[in-house]
Amino acid sequence: QVHLVESGGGLVQPGGALRLSCAASGSIFSIYAMGWYRQAPGKQRELVASIISSGRTTFADSVKGRFTISRDNAKNTMYLEMNSLTPEDTAVYYCNTVFPSERLPWGQGTQVTISS
């Protein structure tokens, strides 16, 4: 079974940047449409960025122009570059497949906190 491990979160000031990583235990990024999700306290988990096997990317309106998603198939790793961070970006960030029918076990996520 494939395991997903997110890392790279932390505490940064508004306007700062972070790069999150999602490491998979198998070669999945060339197979599945993958995404980064986030869940803020008291809110539902939401998809903020996705990348399909062709490399095409999509972003939620709330992060468009600030976040970049990429993957390195050779390293079985996916990334989320986050810039111009605001307190509204505070959440636990997870990676997983885009389509529920292909869902993998959720990892532990990585906490991102934006605060001065």
Side-chain angles (χ1 to χ4, degrees):
Q1 194 172 39
V2 176
H3 297 282
L4 301 169
V5 179
E6 302 91 350
S7 63
L11 171 64
V12 298
Q13 294 186 339
L18 282 172
R19 186 175 85 154
L20 307 183
S21 297
C22 168
S25 58
S27 300
I28 64 170
F29 296 126
S30 61
I31 299 173
Y32 296 117
M34 295 294 298
W36 280 98
Y37 298 78
R38 68 184 181 187
Q39 187 167 20
K43 295 188 177 181
Q44 289 190 332
R45 190 173 293 173
E46 62 171 342
L47 178 66
V48 297
S50 65
I51 184 167
I52 64 176
S53 57
S54 67
R56 181 180 177 183
T57 59
T58 58
F59 299 91
D61 287 343
S62 59
V63 306
K64 199 170 293 183
R66 301 187 298 121
F67 288 14
T68 303
I69 186 172
S70 62
R71 66 173 192 260
D72 185 332
N73 292 343
K75 295 182 178 180
N76 296 330
T77 303
M78 181 172 69
Y79 304 98
L80 186 68
E81 298 271 359
M82 308 187 296
N83 296 294
S84 303
L85 288 163
T86 74
E88 288 67 39
D89 295 314
T90 295
V92 179
Y93 284 71
Y94 303 87
C95 59
N96 213 310
T97 58
V98 171
F99 300 110
S101 61
E102 299 173 340
R103 190 72 78 224
L104 300 169
W106 291 95
Q108 82 287 352
T110 185
Q111 176 70 50
V112 171
T113 303
I114 312 303
S115 175
S116 55

